[in-house]
Each structure stands twice: as C-alpha cells, then as structure tokens.
Amino acid sequence: MSTRSTPLRKLAIRAWIALCGLYFLWEGATYRGFFARLAEWQIGHFGAYAPLLTFLFLFLLAVFPAWLILRILRKRDPEPEVEPPLEVQIKRAKTLRVIFYSFAVVALGVILGFIAYILFALPGTDGRRQTIAASDAGSVAIIEGPARLVGGELGTIVFFGQDWYIADDRMAFSPYRPAGKGAATFFVQLEAKSRKRLAETTQRPSWSGILVEGGLPGPIRVLFNALGVGISDPYYTLYRDEYSLKVRYWLQVIQWTILSVFLLLFGALQSRRVKRLEEEAKEGQEAVG
C-alpha cells in the first residue's frame, strides 16, 4: 500500500465516522429510519425504548467496519525509520484526545440545542387560556399555550414508555375529535402512569392543559398510524402541564450531559498521557545530549 494514499484513506474513514454520528442524530431527532425501527422493536418486546442507547448502538454498529479498517491500515503501515517510538505514541495519544474532545463538543452542541428548544420553542403557562371546540379544527386560529378542548370524544388510547436509566417516562395519548371520526387534529395526554390506570380513564366534557403544535413522541405517531388513526397536518397535542410537556427533553439534556462529562474526562486523561510522554521524550533527548 502506498504511504501517500494511506493518510487520505484514514481521512475518508474518519469522515465516515463523523457522518454516521450526524446521520443517526438526525434519525433520532426526527424518529425515522433505523432508529425508529429499533425503537419500535424495543417497545414491542419491552414496552419502552432507550433513546440514547439506541443511538449509541446504531452509531457503533455503523462505525465498527471503519474502525476495523483503520486497525488494518495501521498494521500495514511501514515502521518509521527515523521517528522514535515515543513520538508515535504521542501522535496517537493526541489523535485520541482530539476524538474524545470532538465528540464532547458534538454532545455539548446537542445539549445546547435541546435547551434552546425547551426555552424558546415550547410554549409555557403564560397567556390567556384559549377554548377550542374539536369541531372548529381548521376554521379557527389555534395558539400554542394554555388551552381547553371541548366538544369531542377520546378515541384509541396508546400507552408507551421511554427508559432513560436516570428516570423513566410513561405517557398515554388519545385522539380527541367529534364522534371519533376522521383524521385527528387534536390529541390529549391522559393521566395514566401505568396500563392499569388506563382503565380509570373516562370521557370528560373538557380537557385543559398546554397545547403545542405537533408534540406527539415519534413512537406514538407510528403506533397511531399503524392502528388506522389518521393524523392531520398540522395537528396539536394537549399536555396536562408544563412538566409533562418538557420532562422528556430535560431527561435527554441530563443524559447527554453525563455522556459529555465522560468524554471530557477521557480527553483529560489523554492530555495527561500526552504530557507524560512528552516529558519522557524530553528527558531522553537531554540524556542523549
């Protein structure tokens, strides 16, 4: 193998690793592709799925061949004739440090993105509460925020959970529409933290909470479509309160924060290793001199 082509191949492999990370982040954020299929498999077998673990599994599975090729290229590289072994170790330690810090920066970017979305994109409890009749969907202006839905009936109820390892998230949703017919414009989060509590759910003359455009978790959208419950475009979800609306996003922030702390810690350990190797190399040069 040409020594000139090896760095280009290594660069291409590292670019592939970066693209895999960005791609599966996109799949996780939009709930589609391999991420959605793996999440649905977990829900079907365990009743819940682990978002961050799902992302990490897919990412590591995609980059494993690239990592294997890098290992093969490294073994095939000719041994340097002049460069001492310590310099090679320093170079590799610095490369590993860059990788850890780069992934930490990506994780921090994800954290900031979630925080910005929570603070600026999601509605809160401020503002006048809007009363909306289910039959008025498409004919009145709908404002995100405090709202009360009237004039409709609950339809098919879907219950699902997300496991975050630091906490779990169990929610139930139902379409809310006149006589339960046609594509649903409104969905309601129900007061049920377990499947047993769903039996206690009854029809009400009105439902109050915080209304947000879209808002259904990805697995819930897929399950409703699979059950033949049409979802209009746009659609709205009424959450019981601000906590219920934002908790899954804050849990993601906490998980990504933990991951970034570990990456920064590994990067710091590599920095210490680089410093130690550089000191050894300096002492060796002084001894020779």
Side-chain angles (χ1 to χ4, degrees):
M1 181 182 297
S2 171
T3 57
R4 187 174 299 175
S5 64
T6 299
L8 293 177
R9 295 187 182 187
K10 288 183 178 180
L11 181 62
I13 291 170
R14 287 165 184 162
W16 167 257
I17 293 173
L19 287 173
C20 286
L22 292 174
Y23 174 75
F24 287 116
L25 276 176
W26 172 77
E27 277 201 351
T30 58
Y31 194 79
R32 62 182 65 194
F34 296 105
F35 185 94
R37 292 177 185 177
L38 184 55
E40 288 155 24
W41 179 86
Q42 294 174 70
I43 293 171
H45 285 76
F46 309 112
Y49 83 105
L52 184 57
L53 186 61
T54 302
F55 163 77
L56 290 176
F57 174 79
L58 290 170
F59 171 70
L60 293 175
L61 188 65
V63 303
F64 176 76
W67 173 83
L68 191 60
I69 293 172
L70 274 178
R71 294 277 297 179
I72 294 172
L73 289 176
R74 182 170 295 173
K75 288 182 178 180
R76 290 184 179 180
D77 280 345
E79 292 296 327
E81 298 177 0
V82 179
E83 189 177 39
L86 269 178
E87 292 185 16
V88 175
Q89 293 180 43
I90 292 170
K91 182 179 177 181
R92 291 177 178 176
K94 286 183 176 180
T95 300
L96 196 56
R97 179 178 62 182
V98 169
I99 292 173
F100 283 133
Y101 281 144
S102 297
F103 280 113
V105 169
V106 172
L108 289 171
V110 173
I111 292 167
L112 292 175
F114 274 120
I115 292 175
Y117 183 74
I118 294 168
L119 296 179
F120 303 110
L122 292 177
T125 56
D126 298 333
R128 183 177 62 86
R129 187 172 69 175
Q130 183 182 24
T131 298
I132 307 168
S135 58
D136 289 340
S139 61
V140 298
I142 299 174
I143 302 172
E144 292 183 305
R148 183 169 70 103
L149 299 180
V150 298
E153 297 178 357
L154 296 179
T156 303
I157 298 175
V158 168
F159 180 87
F160 96 118
Q162 291 176 307
D163 287 328
W164 303 95
Y165 296 100
I166 51 175
D168 58 41
D169 184 15
R170 299 289 186 271
M171 290 186 177
F173 296 88
S174 172
Y176 186 76
R177 51 193 172 178
K181 297 181 180 180
T185 300
F186 300 106
F187 292 84
V188 176
Q189 181 214 353
L190 304 175
E191 299 178 9
K193 291 294 184 180
S194 66
R195 295 184 185 276
K196 293 180 180 179
R197 292 287 302 276
L198 290 178
E200 304 172 11
T201 302
T202 58
Q203 299 286 350
R204 295 182 185 177
S206 66
W207 296 84
S208 298
I210 299 177
L211 194 68
V212 59
E213 184 174 348
L216 286 177
I220 294 296
R221 295 197 306 272
V222 172
L223 288 171
F224 275 132
N225 284 324
L227 293 170
V229 178
I231 302 176
S232 66
D233 185 20
Y235 74 92
Y236 299 85
T237 305
L238 185 75
Y239 279 84
R240 293 168 50 205
D241 48 40
E242 192 170 7
Y243 173 83
S244 300
L245 171 61
K246 298 180 177 180
V247 62
R248 59 194 173 101
Y249 298 106
W250 283 119
L251 288 172
Q252 292 200 49
V253 168
I254 295 171
Q255 278 208 141
W256 282 97
T257 300
I258 294 172
L259 178 61
S260 65
V261 168
F262 276 108
L263 290 169
L264 291 171
L265 177 61
F266 291 142
L269 291 174
Q270 285 301 310
S271 292
R272 290 184 61 182
R273 184 166 182 264
V274 168
K275 184 178 179 181
R276 177 175 58 80
L277 291 172
E278 288 177 339
E279 290 175 352
E280 289 181 14
K282 184 178 179 180
E283 289 174 0
Q285 290 174 357
E286 291 175 352
V288 172

